[in-house]
Amino acid sequence: MITMANNLCTTKAGKEPTVAKGTTYKICACIDPDTGKNIGKTCPKLRTTHANGGKRWSSTHGTWAYQLELPAHADGKRRTPLRRRGFLTLEDAEAELDHARGLLALDPDPAVRRQITELMLSVLKATMQLPDTEEVRRKVRTHQDLNRHITVGEWLEEFLKRKRSIEPTTRRSYESHIRLYLIPYLGDIRLDRLRVSDVAGMFDAIEEFNDIIATERASGDPARVRAVRYRRPVGPTTMHRIRATLRHALNIAIRQDRLLDFNPAAVVELVAASRPKALVWTEERVAQWRLDHAAHLDLLKRAREAKGGKEGKRVDPVVAYIGAPRPSPVMVWTPQQTQQFLTYARKDRLFALYRLYAINGLRRGEGVGIRKPDVNYQASRIGIHWQITQLGWDPIQSTPKTDASDREIAVDAESMTWLKEHERRQARERLAAGADWVESGFVFTDEIGRPLHPQYVTDRFYAICYQAGLPPIRLHDLRHLAATAMLAAGADAVLVQKALGHRTASFTRDTYISVYPEAAAAAAEATAAFLTGTPAPAPRPQPPTRQGTRAGAKGAASGEAGGTVIHLPTN
C-alpha cells in the first residue's frame, strides 16, 4: 500500500505541532459474509498479484481515500481526523489532501488554525468541497472571523456606517433603498452566498407588487383601494437606483474586506430606465388636458363625498390642477405661454427668481441659494456656488455636487434690472422688520430675511401658473424650457451645457432640449428650399417677445399674447 506518514511533524519541544502529512489509502465497500461487517482496507480484491509475484493496486476495485490529523481543540482534546473517500484515482485523493494541508498551513497561530479547521469542516458539510485557499488567505490576512457568516442585511448596515463623507440626500437615498427593498428581500441571505438569481428575484417581486397596486386601484372597491393608498409603483429609474445602491455596497465588500470575489448586482439585467420625453404644450395637447382636468376634478369631488365630506366644501383647485394627467411628466411651454407666465408673475415679490428659472434654467436649489456677493451687477453675471436642497422636509445648504454645477452664468439686462428692483424691495422689508430682520446673506428671502424653503418656491410657482390660466408644468421643467429656448435662439449646444451646469453637451441635448413645432416647421421648409432650389415661404409674424412693452403686457393680461388661455373651474 502506498502511504504517507500519519505522524504529526513536530518542531522544537513546547511548540505547536506543524501540519500533519496525512495518509492516502484504498478502500472498498465489500462485506465479510461471516461477520456481516465491512472489510474496508483489508479486502483482498484491492490488490492483484503481478506476474513476477509482486502486488499492485487493482484498477477496477475500490476507491481512493485519505486521512488527515487535524489540530486539537482549544482545551487540548484530540479532534477526529478528517477522512474523505470516493476518489477514482490516487492523484485526485492526493490533490485534495494537499489542498487541506495547504489551508492548515496558512497561519501558524494555533487559534487561527483552529478557525481554519472549523471552516473546512463546515464548508465540507455544506458543499462537499473544501473552501477556496485564496479566499481563506484573504480573510486570514484581514483578520476576519472565518466562521462568522455575515448576512447581506448586516453588511448593508455596516456599509452605511462606513459612508461618512457623502451628501445627506445621497445617504437618505441609500437608507431608503436598504430599508424598503434590499433588507426585506435579501437581508437574511449569507453575503458570500448571494447569487445573481437572488437579486433578479428581488426585482421580479417588486414588479409583481407593482401589478398588485395597479389591480387594487383599478378594482373600484374602496377597501382594496385604501389597502394600497400609500404605496407607489416602483418605476424603472428607481429600480436602477436600487441596483446601484446594492452594487456599490457589494463593491465596498469586495475592495475593502474581500468578503466577495464577484458582484452579482453588476450583471442583473433590468428594463432600460428611459427618461421621459419632454413635450411642448401645443393647442391640441392643451385641449385634451382641459378634458382630463375636468374629469380629475370630478373624481376628487366624488372621493371627498365618499369620505363623508361636507356638502359644498371646495376641493383645493391647485391640487386638482397639478394632479390632472398630462401628455408627459415633462412638459414645456411655448414662447407665448412663457410670456404669459412672466407677465402675470410680475406682481409676485419673487418674480426676479422665477424669471431666472425660466430664462437661465437654474435648478430650484441653485435659485434659492444665490448669495448677495455672487451677484455681479456690472458684468451682468451670477455665480452659482451655493444651493439649498431638501432632505425630507428639512432644507440643507451645501455647495453644488459637481464641478460643472459650480459655475457662473450670464444674465440678460432686463433680469438684472429686476434683480435690482428686488434688492430695493428687500431693503424696504428690512426697514419694516426692524429688529426681527435676519441677515442671511441670500438674495431671495422671506419678508424678514430668512432663506426660502425650496418647497415654498414650488408651491408659489404652481399657484401662479394656475392663476395665470396656463397648462401645468413642474418648476424643474423650466430647465427644459430654457434649454429649448436657448437652442431655438441659436445658442451653441456647448453654451447651453455650460449655462445649465451639465458635464457634457450630449446629456443636455438628449435630456433637456425639446423642439418647438414652429422651429421644426421652419427647419423643414429651409431643408426643402435648399434641396429643391425653391424659395422658402416667409415666416409668419410672431407676437413681441420682449417683456415690458405696454402691448405685450396688455395682451398677456387679457389672454391675447398668443398663448392658450384656460378658464379653470374653482370648485
Side-chain angles (χ1 to χ4, degrees):
M1 180 182 298
I2 302 174
T3 64
M4 298 175 65
N6 193 33
N7 303 4
L8 289 176
C9 299
T10 59
T11 58
K12 295 181 180 180
K15 291 191 177 181
E16 178 77 9
T18 59
V19 179
K21 291 184 178 179
T23 303
T24 56
Y25 54 90
K26 207 166 192 187
I27 192 170
C28 71
C30 294
I31 304 296
D32 187 333
D34 297 330
T35 62
K37 295 182 179 180
N38 180 258
I39 300 176
K41 294 185 289 185
T42 62
C43 178
K45 296 180 181 179
L46 290 175
R47 289 175 291 177
T48 59
T49 303
H50 198 266
N52 60 8
K55 296 287 186 180
R56 66 178 181 181
W57 293 110
S58 170
S59 61
T60 59
H61 190 75
T63 58
W64 287 95
Y66 72 83
Q67 175 176 309
L68 178 64
E69 194 75 20
L70 296 174
H73 291 282
D75 58 3
K77 185 178 179 180
R78 182 176 180 271
R79 196 187 299 266
T80 302
L82 173 62
R83 297 185 179 94
R84 292 270 288 158
R85 58 191 296 181
F87 300 96
L88 297 180
T89 66
L90 173 62
E91 289 76 12
D92 291 341
E94 289 181 335
E96 185 168 300
L97 174 60
D98 289 342
H99 186 174
R101 295 182 70 252
L103 288 168
L104 295 174
L106 288 175
D107 197 296
D109 187 332
V112 176
R113 188 168 290 177
R114 284 192 293 271
Q115 284 192 33
I116 294 174
T117 300
E118 292 165 2
L119 176 65
M120 289 169 52
L121 296 176
S122 65
V123 173
L124 276 171
K125 182 178 180 180
T127 67
M128 299 303 294
Q129 293 181 343
L130 290 170
D132 179 71
T133 302
E134 290 304 315
E135 180 181 350
V136 178
R137 178 180 283 112
R138 288 195 297 268
K139 292 183 177 181
V140 169
R141 286 179 178 175
T142 54
H143 306 289
Q144 298 178 41
D145 185 348
L146 301 182
N147 295 288
R148 180 178 179 271
H149 301 303
I150 185 172
T151 64
V152 174
E154 290 171 334
W155 171 251
L156 291 173
E157 292 175 356
E158 173 66 19
F159 160 75
L160 283 176
K161 293 177 183 177
R162 296 189 186 185
K163 299 298 292 184
R164 294 186 179 92
S165 48
I166 58 175
E167 294 289 335
T169 51
T170 304
R171 176 176 294 279
R172 183 182 180 88
S173 177
Y174 285 160
E175 291 173 345
S176 175
H177 296 160
I178 290 171
R179 174 174 53 86
L180 296 176
Y181 307 105
L182 298 179
I183 286 182
Y185 288 106
L186 306 174
D188 293 335
I189 300 174
R190 271 179 47 177
L191 181 62
D192 59 343
R193 294 186 182 177
L194 182 65
R195 301 169 299 173
V196 175
S197 60
D198 297 323
V199 182
M202 173 185 69
F203 289 110
D204 290 342
I206 292 174
E207 289 184 350
E208 290 175 3
F209 194 70
N210 285 346
D211 294 338
I212 292 175
I213 294 175
T215 301
E216 296 301 284
R217 288 180 176 174
S219 67
D221 184 343
R224 294 172 62 182
V225 173
R226 283 195 300 271
V228 294
R229 180 180 179 183
Y230 299 108
R231 302 304 298 267
R232 293 190 303 173
V234 180
T237 300
T238 302
M239 289 191 190
H240 279 265
R241 290 172 180 166
I242 294 169
R243 185 183 65 170
T245 298
L246 178 61
R247 183 174 61 234
H248 181 44
L250 297 183
N251 280 338
I252 296 297
I254 293 172
R255 290 196 300 265
Q256 295 186 2
D257 288 10
R258 303 293 182 89
L259 298 177
L260 294 169
D261 292 319
F262 167 71
N263 191 333
V267 297
V268 172
E269 294 187 5
L270 296 177
V271 176
S274 57
R275 297 183 180 91
K277 183 179 180 180
L279 299 178
V280 178
W281 272 120
T282 60
E283 293 183 1
E284 296 79 8
R285 289 171 180 152
V286 171
Q288 181 60 48
W289 177 82
R290 293 181 64 184
L291 298 176
D292 295 336
H293 172 262
H296 180 68
L297 180 61
D298 184 61
L299 179 64
L300 291 179
K301 289 180 180 179
R302 288 190 282 109
R304 181 189 59 78
E305 293 170 358
K307 293 180 181 179
K310 295 181 180 179
E311 190 67 28
K313 184 179 179 181
R314 296 177 60 193
V315 173
D316 188 335
V318 178
V319 171
Y321 168 77
I322 297 171
R326 309 175 196 180
S328 170
V330 181
M331 298 301 298
V332 176
W333 283 329
T334 65
Q336 294 76 29
Q337 291 163 347
T338 307
Q339 293 167 25
Q340 184 176 331
F341 167 76
L342 292 175
T343 300
Y344 191 89
R346 284 183 181 183
K347 59 185 179 183
D348 192 273
R349 65 181 297 273
L350 296 179
F351 169 68
L353 174 60
Y354 291 123
R355 183 181 172 91
L356 289 176
Y357 283 137
I359 294 179
N360 297 93
L362 298 182
R363 298 178 179 92
R364 181 179 70 169
E366 294 172 346
V368 296
I370 296 175
R371 296 174 296 186
K372 294 179 179 179
D374 296 330
V375 180
N376 188 334
Y377 288 102
Q378 291 182 344
S380 293
R381 299 184 69 84
I382 296 177
I384 308 301
H385 308 308
W386 200 250
Q387 62 179 0
I388 303 178
T389 55
Q390 220 173 303
L391 181 61
W393 178 254
D394 300 328
I396 302 295
Q397 297 187 23
S398 64
T399 57
K401 293 184 66 173
T402 66
D403 292 339
S405 298
D406 193 323
R407 64 199 188 278
E408 283 195 354
I409 61 171
V411 180
D412 65 285
E414 188 167 346
S415 292
M416 296 305 297
T417 300
W418 282 105
L419 277 172
K420 292 177 182 178
E421 173 60 29
H422 176 81
E423 186 178 40
R424 289 191 288 269
R425 179 190 296 109
Q426 194 176 60
R428 294 193 296 269
E429 292 172 344
R430 184 189 299 111
L431 290 175
D436 293 332
W437 180 262
V438 178
E439 188 51 63
S440 62
F442 289 98
V443 172
F444 300 104
T445 64
D446 65 8
E447 289 82 351
I448 61 172
R450 295 175 301 186
L452 294 173
H453 193 291
Q455 188 59 44
Y456 171 80
V457 177
T458 298
D459 293 341
R460 197 167 185 132
F461 171 74
Y462 281 133
I464 294 172
C465 296
Y466 169 77
Q467 294 164 6
L470 289 162
I473 66 171
R474 303 173 306 159
L475 179 61
H476 190 77
D477 292 345
L478 291 178
R479 278 175 67 77
H480 295 265
L481 169 66
T484 302
M486 289 179 197
L487 187 67
D492 183 79
V494 175
L495 294 178
V496 180
Q497 167 217 337
K498 299 294 185 183
L500 296 183
H502 292 154
R503 290 177 177 171
T504 63
S506 60
F507 176 81
T508 305
R509 284 192 298 265
D510 295 342
T511 308
Y512 280 88
I513 294 178
S514 305
V515 178
Y516 287 130
E518 297 83 0
E525 294 290 354
T527 303
F530 176 77
L531 293 176
T532 63
T534 57
R540 290 179 295 176
Q542 297 292 326
T545 58
R546 179 172 177 81
Q547 298 295 319
T549 64
R550 293 183 178 179
K554 181 179 179 181
S558 62
E560 297 174 357
T564 303
V565 179
I566 305 173
H567 301 285
L568 300 172
T570 58
N571 54 21

